[in-house]
Amino acid sequence: MDFLSNTVVLSRMQFALTAIFHMIWPVLTTGMAIYLIVVEGMWLKTRKKEYYLHARFWSKLYVLNFGIGVASGIPIEFQFGTNWAPFSEAVGDFFGSILGFEASMAFMLEAGFLGIMLFGWERVPAIMHYIATIMVAFGANLSIFWILSANSWLQTPAGGAFIDGKFVVSDYFQAIFNPFMVNSILHMFLATLEISLFVIGGISAWYILNKRHPQFFALSFKIILAVAIAVTPLQLYVGHLSGEQVYHHQPTKLAAMEAQWETIPAGESPSWSMVAIPNEKAEQNNWEISIPGLLSYILEIKPRLSEPVMGLKAYASEDRPHLISLIYYAFRLMIAIGVFLAVLMAVTTLQWLRGKLSPENITQQRWLLRTWLLSAPLGYIAIESGWIVRCVGRQPWTVYGEVRTVDAATNLPPGDVLTSLTAFAITYTILFIGAIYSGSRIIRQGPNLNLPLPGEKLEPELDTTPAEFVPNSRPVEAQQ
C-alpha cells in the first residue's frame, strides 16, 4: 500500500476518478442534443405529433445528464489549482485560456438556452424554440472542440516554447490546431454521437420488448438506426487515423498499446498481438496470440512498415509508460466494442431492409432487441477505455516530452489528498445512485402521449389516441 503515502499517485487517482465519473454524463448530452434537433425539426416540418412527443420525452433524460455533468465537472477544474498547481503555472497562459473559452463560450451558450428549450414550449414561438434547441446542441458540442483542443495540445504541444519552465505562446492558432487536434475532436464527437444512438436505441428496445408503446418507440429506433449506419463505420475509420497519429507522434504510447518490447525495423511485416499477458518486470509477454502481418496494415494500410515501430526497451524505464496491461487491454476493449457495434448496426439494417422492423413485426425481433438493450452501456465502456489509453499512455508526461507528471503535481500531504479522494468517491457514488434512480423513474413512467401540442388544450373526454399510444399500452376497455 505504498501508494497511500505517494502524493503524485493519489492526485492522479483523484483526477482519474473525477474525470471518469464526469465523462459518463456530457457524452450523452452532446449526442442526444443532435437527436433532439432531428425530432423537433421533423415535427416542425411534418407537424406529426409523435415527433413532438419524442422531443418532450427525451429532453427529460437530457436535462438529468446535464445536471449531473455540471455538478461532477466543476471539481475537475478546481484540481488544476489544488493538486496540479505547478502544471497550471507552467502552461496556464495557454491551457487556462482554452478552458476559459470552453466555460464562457460553450457552457454558457448551452446553459443560457437550456431554459428556453425545456420550459419555452408554450412561451415562445415554435421556430424560436427550435433555435434554442440548436444553440443548446451547438454549445454542448463546442465544448468538445475546446476540451479536445486543450487535451490534444498536451499530447502534441505546439505554437510556442517552454522558457524558464513556462510555456510562452507564439502562435495561438498553431497551438489550438496542434497535430492531434482534428482527429481527436472527430473521434470524440463520433463517440458521443454513437453512445447516444445506442442508448436511445437500447431504451427504445426495452419499451418494445415490454410491449409499451411499440409503435411510438419503433420510430425512435429507426431514426437512430438511420444515423448509426453512417456513424459506426466512420468512427472505426477515424479511430484508425488516430492510431496513425500515435504511431508518428507518440512512439512510447504505441509500444505500450501493443505491448511491444522489441523495436520492429522498417520494411518488415510484423504480426499484430491480439491477446497477450505483458510482464513489465521481465520486459516481455509471457503468452501471446498474434495475427501474422496485420500490424503494418493497421498502422499504414500497407504490407510492410515504412517506419520502425519502437519497442519499450528502446527507452529508459523513467521515459516510458507503465501499467502496460491496462493500456494494452483498454485499447483492445475499445476496438472490440467499436467493431461489435458496427456489426450490430449492419445486422439491424439488414433486418430493416427485410421488413422485420415494421410496427407489426418489430416486437417479434426479441433477440435483436435484447442485443440492443445489452449494448446500451458498451459505448460508455469504449469511451472510458479510450481515455485510459490516451492519458495513461501519455505517462510519464503531463505535457508530452516537456513536463513530467511528477513535476506537475502540488506537494500536498498525502493524508489530505487521500481524504479528498475518499470524499469524492463517496459523493460520486451517491450522485450515481441518484442519477440511476431518477433515470429509471423517467423510463418507467414513459412518455406522456396525451400531452397537448403547444397552443392546444387537453380534452380527455374527446381523446381518440390509438391504444398503442395510451400509457401502459392497454386497450381502453381493459383500463375500465
Side-chain angles (χ1 to χ4, degrees), residues 224-260:
I224 63 93
L225 179 59
V227 181
I229 290 172
V231 169
T232 50
L234 184 58
Q235 174 69 317
L236 292 176
Y237 176 68
V238 174
H240 162 73
L241 296 180
S242 298
E244 283 188 344
Q245 286 188 324
V246 172
Y247 174 39
H248 296 300
H249 294 280
Q250 294 183 324
T252 55
K253 180 187 289 186
L254 177 63
M257 289 161 54
E258 299 298 336
Q260 185 65 45

Side-chain angles (χ1 to χ4, degrees), residues 133-153:
T133 303
I134 293 173
M135 290 296 101
V136 168
F138 179 70
N141 285 275
L142 187 59
S143 289
I144 295 178
F145 175 86
W146 290 118
I147 292 172
L148 267 294
S149 176
N151 186 270
S152 296
W153 181 84

Side-chain angles (χ1 to χ4, degrees), residues 91 132 158 208 231 247 260 339 447 470 473:
V91 304
I208 298 169
V231 169
Y247 174 39
Q260 185 65 45
V339 172
V470 176
S473 295

Side-chain angles (χ1 to χ4, degrees), residues 377-446:
L378 293 183
Y380 291 104
I381 299 173
I383 204 168
E384 300 287 11
S385 298
W387 277 94
I388 287 173
V389 173
R390 186 177 180 89
C391 296
V392 180
R394 188 182 68 234
Q395 298 303 315
W397 308 98
T398 300
V399 182
Y400 192 78
E402 298 288 351
V403 179
R404 290 183 178 273
T405 303
V406 68
D407 298 324
T410 308
N411 186 19
L412 296 170
D416 291 355
V417 184
L418 182 60
T419 299
S420 60
L421 172 60
T422 304
F424 276 123
I426 295 171
T427 303
Y428 283 179
T429 299
I430 296 172
L431 278 176
F432 184 76
I433 294 172
I436 294 299
Y437 171 77
S438 300
S440 62
R441 184 177 180 183
I442 291 171
I443 294 171
R444 287 195 307 270
Q445 289 177 343

